[in-house]
Amino acid sequence: MQTREMTASASRLMVEQLAASGVKYVFNNSGSREALFFNELHARSDIHGILGLHEGAVTAMAGGFTQANLAPGVMVVHLGAGLAQAMGQLINVWTGSLPVVVITFAGDTGSFAGKISLDVSHNAGPTAIAAPLMKANWTVIEPEGLPAALERALRVAMTPPVGPVHLAVYDRLLGPAEHTANIIDGQLPEIHAGYPSDADLDAVARALRDAKRPLLYVGDGVWKSGAIAEVTALAERFGVPVVGDPRAVSIKHPLHAGGRRLEQAAELDPDLILCIGVTHNGAGNASDYTAFFDAERTIAIGADAENLENIPGLDLAVLADEKRAAQRLLDATDGTADDLSDRRSRAREEVAALRAQRRDAAWRIPAEDGKVRAVALGDALDRALESRGGGLVTIEQFAVAQDILANNDEAGRNQYIRPAGGSEGYGVGMAIGAKLGAPDQPVVGLVGDGSLYYSDHALWTAASHEVPVLYVISNNGAYGIVASSFANANADMRETGVYRGVVLDNIDPVKLAEGFGVEAMDATDEANISDAIEHGLGVVEREKRPFLLNVHMPLGLPEGGRPGGIYSLSAELG
């Protein structure tokens, strides 16, 4: 370990340690009590503050950054109130096990007053607020310990299973007084989980060979461990259909059955489910686990107990790094699966039939003047990015499903990334963070209109920091996913076809974007949607600035549904 002694203010010690650990960006919204910290941050040229107007957007940016390149995302929010406002998006960070380091500056609520402005009392201090959504959670009291605490937070966040870490730093440390501390130099070490045993690998290989209808269920542990190529090759070698994370195995791969949830491949009726890097969750219903109960065998491979805990009746649990496990499985079975050619062909045919059904259903939706159907938008966006050698699409919307994309012999080079937790308002900031994390790739933020309205203020950050990202708004004029749930409730709204509380009318995303400094345009012609996307990408690429394309889509209500009037105070007043 290389260290160097430094005497400086606590604020400078913090910034110095972040820079020494290789941190390039600090996502933040400015706080008044942290003036000296921000003074030190903005005084340097090797580390940059990225300003958000709300803590939710700051969190989404840090999360999107980690999802693009798996480097730790560092964020700073102001006192207890700021931490509380970040919690809605920390759901996405926590559920996705993203290595985000959250720094808050805590006020002294014990010495002179039990309550102070913008902070919470010691009855439930900042670590108590953050605890449910953190992998680790520490309070820093001694200024000399700040560098070590920051280095520890970054290292623990990046240690498998990766996940968010919180540091609460008392704001009284941030005065001009100087302290002597040791700065820890050098990049964070690469840390991997262990190797699987030979006996476990032999058992997995036998199960894959013996199964009649195996299914591979993949999660984010695949891409986090760098195992995308190995897991894809494993599916190809053994002829196994895939369901799950659209990035772990490309959603366009001819073996990807589509969807992120296990039940979306129920038609395949698997007798073996092999889970790799999956943290299985659902809505808390028995139906979330039906596929496991119906299968004859279930095996899980993952770097942490979270990859095992929600899978009932495991026949074999392998606690190991996903990449190492997949690579050793490939090495151990080289040339031994040659007699599975029939199963490989059958698996591709079954998956192709499933995907074709979904794609055909999407094209059967009637075309409307002034509207663009989901399949046309999805195809055009995918083609545009593939023509550029592949891009990164961050997604917070449900109108355009990725499993309606054509999956043929070419899996393509596009990557589709979603927030794990489903908490609304992540998408706009996520795209900013992703572009900062992957500056050499085209990045598109595919965001629903409802999701845009949760976090439109993040457009200001994109414009002000000149982050060249294309926002494509799948504007179906409704909270479509909520409307579908209303229909599935089989109550009055389903019976009458009148849906209230889900239609989003009288909002203009183009004007919103322009108000925040982002050029925008409407897209209303399905025949020309490719041209509109090319125009938007062209502006982003040539002029190195963000652009927003507002794509008008059919109203996002269930078939035959129509908007219902909502309460109007003016009507009541006559």
Side-chain angles (χ1 to χ4, degrees), residues 310-333:
N310 287 338
I311 302 175
L314 271 173
D315 296 282
L316 176 62
V318 182
L319 196 62
D321 178 78
E322 294 87 351
K323 182 181 179 72
R324 288 172 166 175
Q327 184 59 63
R328 289 190 64 188
L329 266 173
L330 289 171
D331 292 343
T333 60

Side-chain angles (χ1 to χ4, degrees), residues 23-91:
V23 173
K24 187 175 181 180
Y25 300 109
V26 176
F27 301 93
N28 70 91
N29 62 337
S30 299
S32 53
R33 296 192 195 179
E34 303 93 60
L36 289 178
F37 172 81
F38 286 111
N39 180 75
E40 295 295 337
L41 177 65
H42 297 310
R44 301 182 66 117
S45 61
D46 57 346
I47 186 169
H48 310 286
I50 305 297
L51 181 61
L53 304 183
H54 186 277
E55 292 83 356
V58 169
T59 308
M61 293 175 209
F65 180 80
T66 72
Q67 287 176 279
N69 65 2
L70 203 60
V74 176
M75 56 178 279
V76 171
V77 293
H78 181 61
L79 298 173
L83 179 60
Q85 292 193 124
M87 296 293 277
Q89 297 315 314
L90 283 173
I91 288 281

Side-chain angles (χ1 to χ4, degrees), residues 214-275:
L215 178 68
L216 187 57
Y217 180 23
V218 293
D220 61 4
V222 173
W223 64 263
K224 286 176 179 175
S225 67
I228 293 175
E230 289 81 1
V231 172
T232 300
L234 197 64
E236 292 172 344
R237 176 170 295 177
F238 285 93
V240 185
V242 179
V243 68
D245 192 306
R247 186 183 186 188
V249 172
S250 170
I251 190 67
K252 294 191 297 179
H253 191 281
L255 284 172
H256 204 305
R260 293 175 294 124
R261 300 188 303 277
L262 186 58
E263 61 267 28
Q264 290 176 289
E267 299 97 322
L268 297 173
D269 189 26
D271 59 347
L272 166 69
I273 300 174
L274 173 59
C275 310

Side-chain angles (χ1 to χ4, degrees), residues 391-415:
L392 199 59
V393 183
T394 64
I395 302 167
E396 190 184 22
Q397 56 89 65
F398 293 94
V400 182
Q402 282 64 60
D403 57 6
I404 60 175
L405 295 172
N407 65 330
N408 45 41
D409 289 336
E410 293 295 328
R413 287 180 284 185
N414 292 336
Q415 294 188 64

